[in-house]
Amino acid sequence: MTDTHRPDSADPTTLPTTFVPVELEGELYVRWVANGYFKADETSDKPAYTVVIPPPNVTGRLHMGHAYEHTQIDAITRRKRMQGFETLWQPGMDHAGIATQNVVERELAKEGLSRHDLGREAFEQRVWQWKAESGGAISDQMRRLGDGVDWDRERFTMDEGLSRAVQTIFKRLYDDDLIYRAERIINWCPRCATAISDIEVDHKDLDGELVSIRYGEGDDQIVVATTRAETMLGDTAVAVHPDDPRYSHLVGREIELPLTGRRIPVVADEHVDPEFGSGAVKVTPAHDPNDFEIGQRHDLPSLTVMDDHAIITAPGPFQGLDRLEARSAVVAALRADGRIVAEKRPYSHAVGHCSRCGTVIEPRLSMQWWVKVAPLAKAAGDAVRDGHVAIHPPELAGRYFDWVDNLRDWNISRQLWWGHRVPIWYSPTGETRCVGADETAPDGWTSDPDVLDTWFSSALWPFSTMGWPDQTDALAKFYPNSVLFTGYDLLFFWIARMMMFGLYATGQPPFTEIALHGMVRDKHGKKMSKSFGNVVDPIEWMDSYGTDALRFALARAANPGTDAPIAEESVAGSRNFTTKLWNASRFALLNGATTAGLLPPVDNLSVTDRWILSRLNVVIAEADGYYEDYQFAKLSDLLYHFAWDETFDWYLELSKAVFAQGGPAAEVSRRVLGHVLDTLLRLLHPLVPFVTEKLWTILTGGESVVIADWPQDSGFRDPASEATVAQLQQLVTEVRRFRSEQGVRTSQRVPAELTLTDAMAGHEPAIRQLLRLDPPTTHFHSTAALPIGDSRISLDLSQAIDIDAEKRRLEKDLAGAVREVEAAAKKLSNDSFLAKAPDDIVAGIRTRHQNAELDAQRIREQLTVLLG
């Protein structure tokens, strides 16, 4: 057994007595970056390990979800770096089209201006100015969190290189007939005046009104229900199920559409549920996605009755009204015309809202650019099915297939000014041309005014950040990425798009593994939301408890694919752990723990030395498994208990007696303790980087734990020593429990006789030290005898407690417990009671009976032990 470190002797006097995280963190991070520890070298011969950051919005600030995700990615990449991989954690930010445009427009509004007052070019310059001055605050916060990213490679989705990648892939898709322009139903935000993606729609339950309206007259009448009465102005049909006998006589005929003077057909369509409501639905193809599909199947006209800001455009008395004003006015007019059959209010239903501004979205027929996804989605599905890409945890693969196997064409155009312009140009005569990255549009041609969906450029992130479409050294070294680590909520919108574009552009999947984590929730399991008032700024907890404490608390809550509740109490508990790590390491250093020289031969080791080294190797092996499987909660728990319980509470305490005796045994244990601490700090470093850096460099004299070797399981196991120490732990624990039950203070020294087995005899000094047991005096009188395994501990408690009073107390408690047992048993033996009493009452009495029996047994054991 050897150790590769040959440092100078550690100097514990350089370690402050008190652990103050804020005094360490900033200085250490600056040194890490300055020394280039996080830089990745594409010319290196080391195997590559690559993770790209899920790019935060340029408008964003570090929130708890970022802290949760970044803690885990940082842990993965720090470990891989220590294992000898050429590790790249690629940083960068997303230009966040709608969000950024809204921020800058709000700034303009404070000056009494709109983007239209500036014009498009000046507005874009204003956004770039805002980015330079205010954007990217999250980068500084990532440094505060300790993110080990290669800052020299930081990218932005509107960088020149990434913009070139966007133009290149757009043209390739366009030339391959995989991009087209068409009118379809999209999510439209009347406030932002643009199409938005499904992921940018928040669905909230609102109280509205469900009105049932009578269309037609006499035998031709039919009733439909709607929560959006104003859209009836754009109805072009009523649909019924083809097998519904109630309406078979109407199919193919026309009926009157109230308030409009128009007549519309009744069509038969299997989409209609005959069991729901009246079994008939109004069809508004320009303002509802399902209605649009019905319209397509029956060749119905699509009438758009609202403009970009949801103002009614249909000719008539409602023209010029906002959609909500029109809703009330239309219902009032229908009511006056005797057309309202029923009204239900309040009627709770889910309504989509723009996640950027909170406005209720409007399904709307619009001319947009689309990606034909069928062949791309098939390739993305096959890559997972064929095993080229693994999804972790594997049970989430089904969700991925549900999405990609049923993916509809993707609307990629947005009616914004900030973003990548759609690279389509139009001639004065109406000719259309797609202009690639290295091409120039002809003079006099006009650029398409739309920009591309932010997810379009984000879908290129794993390879555009490496220099694609050029065949760069970085691309050759670091693509495909090793793993994508992100939230399961992005499985559909971002991951699937990266898979499609990565395979299309490069012929390879963008990553070999997808590791999915859940959402951070509050301690009650509730989603963190400003509206709920339960959002926590992670910076505040870092200020209060230290970055390591926040990271460790987040790691302890991280189970793959499941949501993570986090509470301030858990961060405070993790601060206790980092403080314990600091204090115990300092104590070990002051007692001579060292990493200098080779580890002693096994034959020179004590039982406790062999035990801790055996346990250490088991922990290394288990930790490796948990790291590889992204089981951060189990990993944190493993290292927490090994550090606190086994290393500090047992090995360090057991070693105190050895240190006090001095001699060769003490020197051996000091070296073993140094080795255990060295290894433990390296195992913990990816999770709690700051405190481990400070302690490790003091302990070993090494340059930095960031670039230290990852611990290796030497294979050493010693089941015999583990069994012996387990017996020792049982003995000490039982005596401590008995002392506590008798009310003996922890600090109270008690005379004791120890009758120990051969295996325990050598540990008598440690046992006495741990239990505050003095040798028996000439006046020793055994008042309590504890048989523990084959050993026996006799205590003289005559000076520690009032023996007679304690016996009387126990006898009184025993009598009470016996009465409780008898009372419960009496009820449980009463058949009449059991037949009549509710099940929960009977269950409660059974529990009382069991608990009383256990209490009685415990008290009898205490009385047996308490002699006298």
Side-chain angles (χ1 to χ4, degrees):
M1 299 173 64
T2 62
D3 195 296
T4 57
H5 291 284
R6 306 287 199 280
D8 297 331
S9 297
D11 182 4
T13 61
T14 62
L15 197 61
T17 56
T18 305
F19 174 44
V20 184
V22 71
E23 295 179 358
L24 301 176
E25 296 169 357
E27 175 187 342
L28 291 177
Y29 191 83
V30 168
R31 185 168 69 85
W32 290 338
V33 174
N35 288 347
Y37 295 153
F38 305 139
K39 289 184 178 180
D41 181 5
E42 53 261 40
T43 67
S44 167
D45 292 332
K46 297 178 182 178
Y49 190 85
T50 315
V51 181
V52 294
I53 195 170
N57 288 350
V58 68
T59 59
R61 292 183 60 82
L62 187 75
H63 57 64
M64 201 59 77
H66 288 128
Y68 179 67
E69 180 172 85
H70 289 202
T71 291
Q72 295 173 77
I73 299 177
D74 194 45
I76 295 167
T77 52
R78 282 179 182 268
R79 174 173 174 265
K80 288 296 181 181
R81 191 176 293 112
M82 295 171 75
Q83 286 182 308
F85 287 83
E86 193 61 42
T87 303
L88 170 60
W89 185 8
Q90 170 69 54
M93 288 182 292
D94 193 286
H95 65 277
I98 296 178
T100 306
Q101 179 160 315
N102 283 347
V103 167
V104 178
E105 285 195 275
R106 284 195 293 268
E107 293 295 317
L108 287 174
K110 295 175 184 177
E111 304 171 21
L113 299 172
S114 73
R115 60 185 165 109
H116 299 285
D117 294 324
L118 268 66
R120 185 160 189 158
E121 184 176 348
F123 177 76
E124 289 177 347
Q125 292 175 353
R126 183 67 177 260
V127 179
W128 280 108
Q129 179 185 342
W130 174 87
K131 177 189 180 291
E133 296 173 355
S134 306
I138 197 170
S139 294
D140 293 333
Q141 295 167 331
M142 287 166 58
R143 289 174 167 86
R144 177 73 189 277
L145 189 63
D147 285 2
V149 300
D150 186 344
W151 290 110
D152 290 346
R153 296 174 183 267
E154 186 175 13
R155 305 304 299 269
F156 180 55
T157 50
M158 289 283 286
D159 283 351
E160 181 179 350
L162 273 68
S163 295
R164 181 166 174 262
V166 167
Q167 283 185 275
T168 299
I169 198 165
F170 186 100
K171 181 167 176 57
R172 290 187 186 179
L173 289 163
Y174 182 85
D175 290 345
D176 286 343
D177 293 327
L178 292 173
I179 284 181
Y180 64 95
R181 194 168 185 239
E183 269 196 321
R184 300 280 178 82
I185 291 284
I186 43 86
N187 301 310
W188 183 267
C189 175
R191 154 64 182 78
C192 299
T194 181
I196 61 175
S197 67
D198 290 342
I199 199 173
E200 292 163 324
V201 178
D202 294 334
H203 292 277
K204 305 175 185 177
D205 287 336
L206 294 183
D207 284 339
E209 179 181 24
L210 181 69
V211 293
S212 297
I213 309 168
R214 177 173 55 85
Y215 286 15
E217 300 288 350
D219 291 340
D220 290 348
Q221 67 180 327
I222 197 168
V223 175
V224 298
T226 183
T227 58
R228 301 162 64 218
E230 71 282 4
T231 62
M232 68 160 292
L233 301 173
D235 286 0
T236 56
V238 170
V240 297
H241 194 275
D243 298 329
D244 193 334
R246 294 172 295 177
Y247 305 116
S248 58
H249 67 289
L250 290 176
V251 174
R253 295 169 60 179
E254 291 187 342
I255 59 174
E256 181 186 351
L257 177 65
L259 306 181
T260 66
R262 290 192 289 114
R263 295 183 67 80
I264 58 176
V266 177
V267 298
D269 196 281
E270 292 190 353
H271 167 76
V272 180
D273 181 0
E275 302 298 325
F276 183 78
S278 67
V281 296
K282 58 192 288 299
V283 182
T284 320
H287 292 278
D288 183 274
N290 293 322
D291 292 4
F292 177 78
E293 298 293 337
I294 294 175
Q296 292 289 294
R297 287 193 289 271
H298 297 277
D299 198 25
L300 299 173
S302 297
L303 301 182
T304 299
V305 296
M306 299 180 205
D307 67 10
D308 290 357
H309 298 286
I311 303 299
I312 300 299
T313 57
F318 311 108
Q319 190 173 19
L321 295 179
D322 171 80
R323 57 182 167 166
L324 299 182
E325 296 173 332
R327 184 171 302 169
S328 299
V330 166
V331 171
L334 289 168
R335 189 183 298 113
D337 200 28
R339 294 285 180 174
I340 300 296
V341 175
E343 297 179 68
K344 183 178 181 180
R345 79 168 70 86
Y347 179 74
S348 180
H349 61 128
V351 178
H353 292 69
C354 174
S355 65
R356 305 303 180 187
C357 69
T359 302
V360 174
I361 63 108
E362 190 67 38
R364 183 171 185 263
L365 187 63
S366 179
M367 182 66 76
Q368 301 283 342
W369 287 97
W370 304 81
V371 171
K372 190 183 299 181
V373 299
L376 304 175
K378 182 181 185 303
D382 289 345
V384 176
R385 286 190 173 94
D386 296 344
H388 293 105
V389 179
I391 293 180
H392 184 89
E395 56 267 24
L396 292 182
R399 296 192 195 180
Y400 176 80
F401 295 132
D402 286 345
W403 179 255
V404 297
D405 292 348
N406 299 285
L407 200 58
R408 295 186 177 186
D409 286 0
W410 172 17
N411 167 215
I412 57 171
S413 48
R414 299 291 181 266
Q415 291 63 56
L416 302 171
W417 285 3
W418 173 244
H420 297 282
R421 288 289 286 270
V422 171
I424 295 291
W425 293 74
Y426 305 100
S427 73
T429 60
E431 186 182 354
T432 299
R433 180 179 299 179
C434 180
V435 177
D438 301 318
E439 301 172 345
T440 303
D443 290 339
W445 287 47
T446 304
S447 174
D448 191 295
D450 288 352
V451 300
L452 290 165
D453 177 13
T454 297
W455 297 104
F456 190 93
S457 52
S458 296
L460 312 181
W461 189 249
F463 52 94
S464 63
T465 51
M466 311 292 176
W468 186 91
D470 294 333
Q471 295 305 307
T472 65
D473 291 341
L475 192 67
K477 179 72 175 180
F478 297 116
Y479 186 87
N481 301 170
S482 304
V483 61
L484 175 75
F485 199 91
T486 191
Y488 62 67
D489 54 321
L490 293 180
L491 184 61
F492 315 125
F493 302 103
W494 186 40
I495 296 173
R497 284 159 169 71
M498 284 190 289
M499 287 285 284
M500 290 191 297
F501 277 11
L503 287 160
Y504 174 78
T506 73
Q508 299 180 80
F511 21 74
T512 56
E513 188 172 9
I514 301 167
L516 300 170
H517 63 75
M519 298 172 59
V520 178
R521 297 183 177 270
D522 70 12
K523 62 182 179 181
H524 304 295
K526 196 172 186 179
K527 180 181 178 181
M528 286 190 176
S529 166
K530 290 180 181 178
S531 61
F532 295 153
N534 62 350
V535 172
V536 178
D537 183 349
I539 299 293
E540 293 180 6
W541 282 356
M542 286 191 271
D543 288 340
S544 298
Y545 303 104
T547 297
D548 287 326
L550 174 66
R551 287 173 60 124
F552 199 66
L554 291 168
R556 294 192 80 179
N559 290 294
T562 61
D563 292 344
I566 187 72
E568 188 169 3
E569 295 87 343
S570 62
V571 184
S574 292
R575 170 59 195 268
N576 293 340
F577 174 66
T578 57
T579 301
K580 177 75 170 181
L581 191 63
W582 181 275
N583 292 340
S585 297
R586 189 173 187 276
F587 179 83
L589 286 165
L590 290 171
N591 279 273
T594 180
T595 59
L598 298 175
L599 273 175
V602 173
D603 291 344
N604 290 2
L605 302 178
S606 69
V607 170
T608 51
D609 292 336
R610 294 199 303 274
W611 162 73
I612 196 65
L613 291 175
S614 179
R615 286 292 306 134
L616 177 64
N617 280 295
V618 171
V619 167
I620 292 171
E622 291 182 359
D624 277 333
Y626 289 145
Y627 268 115
E628 291 294 327
D629 205 31
Y630 312 108
Q631 295 278 0
F632 290 103
K634 292 179 179 179
L635 169 69
S636 303
D637 196 57
L638 170 74
L639 297 180
Y640 175 94
H641 288 292
F642 178 73
W644 195 309
D645 300 344
E646 297 185 87
T647 303
F648 302 144
D649 280 0
W650 285 107
Y651 183 70
L652 197 56
E653 291 297 320
L654 289 168
S655 298
K656 284 181 181 178
V658 181
F659 296 154
Q661 291 174 355
E667 291 306 311
V668 168
S669 290
R670 290 187 177 103
R671 182 63 188 88
V672 170
L673 178 57
H675 173 75
V676 172
L677 278 179
D678 170 17
T679 306
L680 175 60
L681 292 171
R682 283 184 281 157
L683 289 171
L684 279 166
H685 173 70
L687 300 174
V688 285
F690 294 106
V691 66
T692 52
E693 170 78 345
K694 186 66 175 180
L695 294 174
W696 188 87
T697 52
I698 295 295
L699 171 69
T700 68
E703 179 184 342
S704 172
V705 70
V706 176
I707 54 173
D709 292 337
W710 184 249
Q712 298 294 315
D713 173 9
S714 71
F716 175 72
R717 301 290 191 275
D718 194 332
S721 68
E722 292 192 35
T724 298
V725 173
Q727 294 175 34
L728 177 61
Q729 290 172 329
Q730 180 191 12
L731 187 150
V732 171
T733 301
E734 286 294 320
V735 176
R736 282 176 172 169
R737 182 180 64 83
F738 177 76
R739 286 175 56 121
S740 175
E741 289 173 346
Q742 302 308 318
V744 179
R745 299 190 313 276
T746 304
S747 60
Q748 175 77 50
R749 300 200 68 84
V750 176
E753 285 184 344
L754 277 59
T755 306
L756 302 173
T757 62
D758 291 343
M760 292 294 102
H763 300 290
E764 181 169 345
I767 292 170
R768 289 191 178 277
Q769 182 169 312
L770 289 169
L771 293 172
R772 307 290 198 274
L773 301 181
D774 288 333
T777 63
T778 55
H779 303 291
F780 180 80
H781 173 60
S782 177
T783 58
L786 286 78
I788 304 171
D790 294 330
S791 297
R792 182 180 181 87
I793 309 294
S794 297
L795 306 173
D796 183 353
L797 302 179
S798 58
Q799 301 302 312
I801 61 173
D802 185 331
I803 302 296
D804 291 337
E806 184 64 16
K807 285 179 63 178
R808 288 193 296 271
R809 182 186 70 81
L810 288 173
E811 288 167 350
K812 182 179 178 181
D813 289 348
L814 178 59
V818 169
R819 286 195 299 271
E820 179 71 12
V821 170
E822 292 172 347
K826 185 176 180 180
K827 286 189 175 182
L828 293 173
S829 64
N830 187 330
D831 293 339
S832 177
F833 169 77
L834 294 176
K836 296 177 181 179
D839 291 344
D840 58 333
I841 298 296
V842 174
I845 293 173
R846 292 190 193 279
T847 301
R848 279 172 49 197
H849 183 261
Q850 292 169 358
N851 291 340
E853 284 188 323
L854 290 173
D855 285 343
Q857 179 182 350
R858 175 181 55 81
I859 296 168
R860 288 190 183 100
E861 290 174 354
Q862 288 180 254
L863 281 168
T864 300
V865 170
L866 199 62
L867 305 175

